[in-house]
Amino acid sequence: MSEHETTAEPGGEPTRRDFLFLTTGMAAVVGGATVAWPFIDQMRPDASTLALASVEVDVSSLSEGMSLTVQWRGRPVFIRNRTEEEVEAAQAVELAELKDPVARNENIPNAEATDLNRSAGEGMENWIVMIGSCTHLGCVPLGQAGDYNGWFCPCHGSHYDTAGRIRRGPAPENLPVPPFEFISDSMIRIG
């Protein structure tokens, strides 16, 4: 055995070789983490995406019959304070007349497409919040237009009623309702 070669006896003192194994292993762990971190970090959502995860909208200036379009997650969202006549017209529609009988409301999954299930809820039926992207090919429909005075997609002729339900045309589904809630009498949080 040479003077530089050392071995530890069972239960003996650690040797120079033990120290080198330990420090080499630690250097490998730190180096691996340093190399892997940029790949792991790039999988996190971008700050701009996180900022759009929810948006608060002041609707105090929307009187009856007015609409507002805001951006949420890069998509237009229609907010409308419907008139009493629009609410009554939407409530009068029989479910059997609808092309899509599902509400498509993320706040109440698997609900029927009644006007109440598409609106902000009991006592707030005049408020409707929907993603403003036609369910056919993603065009942005025009408001207070079409055969049902709701939304009309001029690109391919989809007609939605005042509750955002598809009534005629190639669109297969109702305009989706995003998760939203009134956090005060005049403020809506979407997302």
Side-chain angles (χ1 to χ4, degrees):
M1 200 179 231
S2 73
E3 71 181 63
H4 296 291
E5 196 174 329
T6 58
T7 56
E9 299 286 327
E13 293 292 316
T15 64
R16 183 171 180 234
R17 181 175 288 176
D18 294 336
F19 175 73
L20 289 173
F21 281 147
L22 180 64
T23 56
T24 304
M26 291 302 291
V29 167
V30 170
T34 302
V35 168
W37 178 250
F39 297 107
I40 295 168
D41 188 47
Q42 63 96 22
M43 289 188 247
R44 292 186 313 160
D46 181 62
S48 62
T49 303
L50 292 175
L52 295 174
S54 68
V55 63
E56 293 181 3
V57 182
D58 182 4
V59 294
S60 60
S61 64
L62 289 183
S63 58
E64 186 177 290
M66 292 181 68
S67 298
L68 174 67
T69 302
V70 297
Q71 288 287 322
W72 175 67
R73 295 185 179 173
R75 298 184 289 180
V77 174
F78 299 150
I79 301 172
R80 181 156 177 83
N81 185 355
R82 298 183 297 173
T83 65
E84 193 173 313
E85 293 78 25
E86 290 173 327
V87 173
E88 288 172 2
Q91 289 173 343
V93 175
E94 296 292 326
L95 288 177
E97 295 177 34
L98 298 176
K99 187 173 179 180
D100 180 13
V102 180
R104 309 282 174 207
N105 185 338
E106 287 192 45
N107 301 294
I108 46 174
N110 303 320
E112 291 183 327
T114 63
D115 179 67
L116 182 62
N117 288 345
R118 302 264 314 146
S119 72
E122 192 75 41
M124 301 184 85
E125 295 90 352
N126 57 310
W127 290 101
I128 190 157
V129 178
M130 304 172 300
I131 296 175
S133 183
C134 180
T135 58
H136 178 232
L137 291 176
C139 306
V140 178
L142 303 173
Q144 293 66 65
D147 293 348
Y148 302 92
N149 198 32
W151 286 265
F152 172 67
C153 184
C155 302
H156 302 100
S158 293
H159 296 257
Y160 299 89
D161 66 11
T162 59
R165 300 173 294 198
I166 184 63
R167 300 295 298 279
R168 202 179 80 176
E173 297 178 348
N174 301 324
L175 294 173
V177 177
F180 78 93
E181 64 179 332
F182 273 86
I183 56 175
S184 74
D185 289 343
S186 62
M187 189 73 71
I188 298 176
R189 178 184 296 130
I190 304 169

